Amino acid sequence: MKTTSLYSTSGKLWKSIALTLPMFLLTFVFITGGKPDFSSSSAIFSFVVTFIFFNTLFFLMLYTGKTDRFRAIGFIAMALFFALVFIVNLVKMRGSMSFSNENLLSCEIPFCHIVTTMIIIPIVLTKSIIFPGSILTGFASIASMLVIVIGISLALGRGFCSWGCFYGGWDDGTSRILRRPVIKNVNPNWRWFSFAFLLIIALSAAITLTPTYCSWFCPFKTVTEYEKITNFDTLMKTIVFVSLFLSLVIILPVLTRKRIQCGTFCPMGALMSFTNKINPFEVTIDKEKCNDCKKCIRTCPTFSMVEPGLSKGRPEITCMKCGKCIDECSQNAISYHIRGTPSGKAFTAARTLFLYPAFTLLVVFAGGNIQYGIVLLIRFFSTGSFM
Amino acid sequence: MHSSEGFLLGLSTGAVCLATCGPVLIPYLLAESNAVVKNFLEVGLFLSGRLVAYVLTGVITGIAGTLFLQNHVFQGFVPGIIDVILSLSLLAYAFFRFRHVCPGETSNQLAGRLGLHWPEAIPLLGGFASGLNFCPPFILAIAQASASGNIAGSVIYFVAFFAGTSLYFIPLPFIGFFRRKQSLTIIGKFAAIIAGLYFLYKGIFIIFH
Ligand code: SF4
Ligand code: SF4
């Protein structure tokens, strides 16, 4: 008996190492962006740390069979390093985190994926893009972001919100600070708020021909860039940004242990939910194995696991494929599933096939930022300045 | 801007209109035919009935607006007050449970008799009656439209409001969509809250300027 278990443990170990090997290549390519820079010791050090960081996470996912706890580490690190690198770059380029009218007029604002929700109707109606960014050039150009958003939607659906979004790690992180929620039993219907908000945002942008969410409601302006305060209007906007950040990204996620910003507010999340229907991966529940303990309902940070879903055998369309409910289910009743394949079978193969594209997405968005962020931190601790 | 505001108001509350009047229209569509093209025709007639009701309300509201809102004091202050009161009712409407009854339902008996001789009249009549649903969004639309102070402006506002609410009826011929009625109602109510807050802000802004 003992021999068998030892054999299976070492078998699992070698299998996990073998499955991690392709990720070595992918992480190398995406962290370095195809152009390795080993010109300084800090560059080499940061590359090695980032490379080991990602491959260890991927190996642990395969070896332990747990997804969310390792995904979350990479995802939260992405959000923090993205903010650090973005702010330092802005200060280098413009001297501050704020942008002026001149920056707006010269279309120097980086395009973020959330703007997608506001440009579609104006493109159809007026054939113009209502965002002051560059269409093809610079980092985060409009064309490249749109291609990325469409590609990810087809591949992972709303999985983007747990594996690729460089903002999502904020409330994913804060929702894990307390061990137990202070505010319990939040009505899951709040998840529909983001759909109503998407409706209003898309329409108001079409009517006013301005990206209304960016101008008035984006909580992440607080940790990226914002309009220079020059009058009452810009002062009001800044107050709104900071209050939304504090309430939706920090305080409420801490108190509820739910991803309040992503699960109830973000219009991009609502839009992405529709794409959950048109991609190969989904999360399913085996009703035969489920003992109705409802732990997944309590655990799901996005209000996507609800009673009717349990009886239907799948979560709501808002599911972000984070894997938390899968990790928590003691009956192994929940799993990743590939549409069109028989359910309840090839459980591990479906999960592994999902993990490759999902984890690669994480590396694509986080790799460069984490590596450069480490260089910045080394610089800060050795010289006292990020510049 | 005036008409786009009507459109926005219609869109933000249209989901509730669909959830309220859908149950009247759906059984009819199901009973009558399951052909998508035929269903489109029925929904088209239903919407035409609504449009007639809205244009009529627009004309009456426009006349009332010309009579009462010519005065400068009224022009500045009254629309602001109306905005505030009605946006509050829009918020109350979203927060509390009201039993929504589609007025189209009451026209069913008459429609039953009419249907024998002129079946197209049923969805047309149902649409007309449902268009006269005096719910807070509709009353808010009346207040907004009357603020234009002329008949043409008021009619345009109502046509825009009609366009906004009607978008939700377009997928109806593909009946299956309606299975999500409950979530649609919730989304509609949330949208009504956001629209209510916007009109509240606008009302207060008008009063203090
Ligand atoms: S919901 Fe929005 S902010 Fe959250 S992860 Fe998705 S796109 Fe990002
Ligand atoms: S249903 Fe499961 S996988 Fe989907 S968001 Fe909720 S916890 Fe994550």
Side-chain angles (χ1 to χ4, degrees):
Chain A
M1 224 25 216
K2 206 168 180 186
T3 331
T4 321
S5 105
L6 265 180
Y7 172 78
S8 64
T9 310
S10 71
K12 203 165 130 195
L13 179 72
W14 287 113
K15 200 173 158 195
S16 306
I17 291 175
L19 286 171
T20 308
L21 288 178
M23 198 44 79
F24 277 28
L25 183 66
L26 289 169
T27 40
F28 181 83
V29 171
F30 289 116
I31 294 171
T32 58
K35 290 181 228 132
D37 168 23
F38 298 137
S39 55
S40 64
S41 52
S42 66
I44 297 172
F45 176 78
S46 64
F47 169 76
V48 173
V49 171
T50 315
F51 184 81
I52 294 174
F53 173 70
F54 280 117
N55 285 296
T56 310
L57 288 181
F58 193 70
F59 166 77
L60 287 172
M61 277 185 196
L62 294 172
Y63 183 66
T64 62
K66 299 288 179 194
T67 309
D68 177 67
R69 64 185 64 162
F70 303 113
R71 176 203 63 81
I73 297 172
F75 194 55
I76 295 166
M78 165 160 72
L80 298 177
F81 277 99
F82 172 80
L84 172 71
V85 169
F86 193 91
I87 292 170
V88 171
N89 273 343
L90 276 188
V91 175
K92 254 191 206 165
M93 269 163 54
R94 298 184 195 146
S96 90
M97 268 173 80
S98 63
F99 59 81
S100 59
N101 268 341
E102 293 80 64
N103 303 129
L104 270 179
L105 291 174
S106 54
C107 289
E108 284 174 11
I109 311 298
F111 185 85
C112 135
H113 51 287
I114 301 180
V115 187
T116 316
T117 55
M118 290 164 279
I119 61 169
I120 299 169
I121 303 178
I123 288 180
V124 174
L125 295 181
T126 66
K127 310 234 172 347
S128 55
I129 293 176
I130 59 164
F131 187 80
S134 148
I135 297 193
L136 289 172
T137 53
F139 88 106
S141 70
I142 296 174
S144 63
M145 258 310 167
L146 283 181
V147 170
I148 289 171
V149 168
I150 294 169
I152 295 169
S153 308
L154 294 176
L156 297 175
R158 206 180 169 183
F160 174 73
C161 299
S162 279
W163 296 86
C165 176
F166 35 78
Y167 297 135
W170 280 95
D171 65 351
D172 199 352
T174 49
S175 67
R176 289 165 198 265
I177 290 177
L178 293 185
R179 286 191 70 80
R180 297 199 185 287
V182 175
I183 302 173
K184 294 179 190 135
N185 302 328
V186 183
N187 190 330
N189 281 335
W190 277 106
R191 71 187 179 283
W192 300 122
F193 185 87
S194 58
F195 290 79
F197 196 47
L198 167 67
L199 183 73
I200 301 279
I201 285 297
L203 292 166
S204 58
I207 289 165
T208 60
L209 293 183
T210 54
T212 37
Y213 181 80
C214 312
S215 311
W216 281 97
F217 301 108
C218 178
F220 296 110
K221 290 277 176 210
T222 315
V223 285
T224 51
E225 58 177 350
Y226 50 83
E227 226 173 306
K228 202 179 247 161
I229 302 174
T230 49
N231 52 30
F232 181 72
D233 234 27
T234 44
L235 174 70
M236 281 305 290
K237 286 179 185 177
T238 310
I239 292 173
V240 173
F241 296 147
V242 176
S243 350
L244 285 176
F245 183 77
L246 289 178
S247 54
L248 299 175
V249 183
I250 309 280
I251 299 169
L252 287 172
V254 170
L255 297 179
T256 57
R257 280 183 59 83
K258 302 281 178 196
R259 289 179 62 182
I260 299 293
Q261 147 68 21
C262 301
T264 68
F265 190 75
C266 177
M268 184 65 191
L271 185 66
M272 280 266 177
S273 294
F274 295 110
T275 67
N276 255 353
K277 290 273 178 204
I278 51 159
N279 77 93
F281 301 105
E282 62 180 350
V283 170
T284 52
I285 306 149
D286 186 338
K287 286 188 276 175
E288 311 248 296
K289 288 188 191 165
C290 169
N291 68 358
D292 215 20
C293 68
K294 303 200 172 54
K295 198 167 181 191
C296 54
I297 296 183
R298 290 192 298 275
T299 305
C300 176
T302 66
F303 306 102
S304 304
M305 198 61 99
V306 286
E307 299 254 359
L310 264 191
S311 40
K312 271 189 297 176
R314 52 175 46 85
E316 294 286 307
I317 56 163
T318 45
C319 170
M320 300 183 196
K321 298 170 185 157
C322 65
K324 200 169 186 179
C325 56
I326 303 177
D327 285 1
E328 292 291 328
C329 178
S330 56
Q331 304 298 308
N332 289 330
I334 314 176
S335 57
Y336 288 113
H337 174 244
I338 300 175
R339 270 177 231 274
T341 61
S343 38
K345 294 204 182 106
F347 170 93
T348 320
R351 176 175 178 266
T352 311
L353 282 175
F354 170 76
L355 285 183
Y356 273 109
F359 197 83
T360 306
L361 180 68
L362 182 64
V363 179
V364 168
F365 278 99
N369 282 324
I370 294 186
Q371 189 199 9
Y372 184 51
I374 295 173
V375 173
L376 289 177
L377 288 178
I378 295 173
R379 193 179 297 162
F380 180 76
F381 287 116
S382 53
T383 67
S385 158
F386 283 120
M387 298 304 152
Chain B
M1 193 64 196
H2 195 60
S3 58
S4 45
E5 214 176 83
F7 185 67
L8 183 62
L9 178 65
L11 268 166
S12 58
T13 57
V16 182
C17 298
L18 173 62
T20 312
C21 291
V24 180
L25 194 57
I26 302 284
Y28 178 77
L29 291 180
L30 284 173
E32 279 299 296
S33 104
N34 45 22
V36 172
V37 179
K38 179 100 193 305
N39 282 353
F40 260 116
L41 212 71
E42 308 285 356
V43 173
L45 284 168
F46 181 84
L47 290 180
S48 311
R50 268 173 88 92
L51 180 62
V52 173
Y54 279 18
V55 169
L56 211 67
T57 317
V59 171
I60 296 169
T61 309
I63 295 172
T66 356
L67 291 179
F68 296 112
L69 292 176
Q70 293 303 326
N71 183 312
H72 267 307
V73 181
F74 277 144
Q75 263 180 14
F77 196 67
V78 174
I81 295 282
I82 294 176
D83 267 352
V84 171
I85 295 172
L86 290 169
S87 62
L88 291 178
S89 75
L90 194 63
L91 290 172
Y93 166 72
F95 279 117
F96 302 108
R97 244 171 224 277
F98 289 111
R99 189 178 121 64
H100 304 292
V101 179
C102 177
E105 239 169 87
T106 50
S107 63
N108 273 356
Q109 281 184 348
L110 173 65
R113 263 180 255 154
L114 247 179
L116 288 176
H117 310 288
W118 194 33
E120 293 78 13
I122 302 174
L124 202 66
L125 198 71
F128 183 80
S130 82
L132 296 177
N133 188 0
F134 283 87
C135 58
F138 186 74
I139 300 171
L140 184 57
I142 292 182
Q144 295 293 320
S146 66
S148 69
N150 64 70
I151 299 171
S154 163
V155 171
I156 288 172
Y157 192 95
F158 263 95
V159 171
F161 181 69
F162 163 80
T165 54
S166 298
L167 279 186
Y168 292 86
F169 288 81
I170 291 172
L172 222 54
F174 308 97
I175 294 285
F177 178 82
F178 210 70
R179 265 184 267 137
R180 289 219 156 252
K181 173 181 177 290
Q182 208 223 341
S183 48
L184 213 61
T185 314
I186 300 169
I187 294 173
K189 289 208 167 198
F190 277 136
I193 293 173
I194 304 171
L197 290 175
Y198 166 71
F199 284 108
L200 184 65
Y201 171 79
K202 190 175 158 234
I204 294 173
F205 192 81
I206 293 175
I207 293 170
F208 289 104
H209 277 72

